[in-house]
Amino acid sequence: MQQSHGIGYAEYSNKLDQRLKVEKRRQKDHEESRKIVAEVDRQLHK
């Protein structure tokens, strides 16, 4: 948690605004990863 998001678990657990920031960042990263995978799949199956 500390390495990937710059926030410790205790702070993540106790501060809602920090938790929401982390979760929004996780969601954005996940969506970007899915787009990359989809693009690679398209290129492989031409």
Side-chain angles (χ1 to χ4, degrees):
M1 177 72 70
Q2 182 70 39
Q3 253 182 341
S4 58
H5 300 290
I7 183 174
Y9 185 75
E11 187 176 357
Y12 172 84
S13 297
N14 293 327
K15 294 187 177 180
L16 180 60
D17 60 328
Q18 290 292 346
R19 191 178 323 167
L20 291 174
K21 286 180 187 177
V22 167
E23 293 306 323
K24 284 181 183 178
R25 192 176 321 131
R26 281 183 180 170
Q27 183 66 29
K28 183 180 175 188
D29 289 346
H30 180 71
E31 289 171 5
E32 289 174 3
S33 296
R34 288 182 55 109
K35 287 179 185 178
I36 291 169
V37 168
E39 181 63 29
V40 169
D41 280 347
R42 276 194 295 276
Q43 291 177 4
L44 288 174
H45 295 95
K46 282 186 175 181

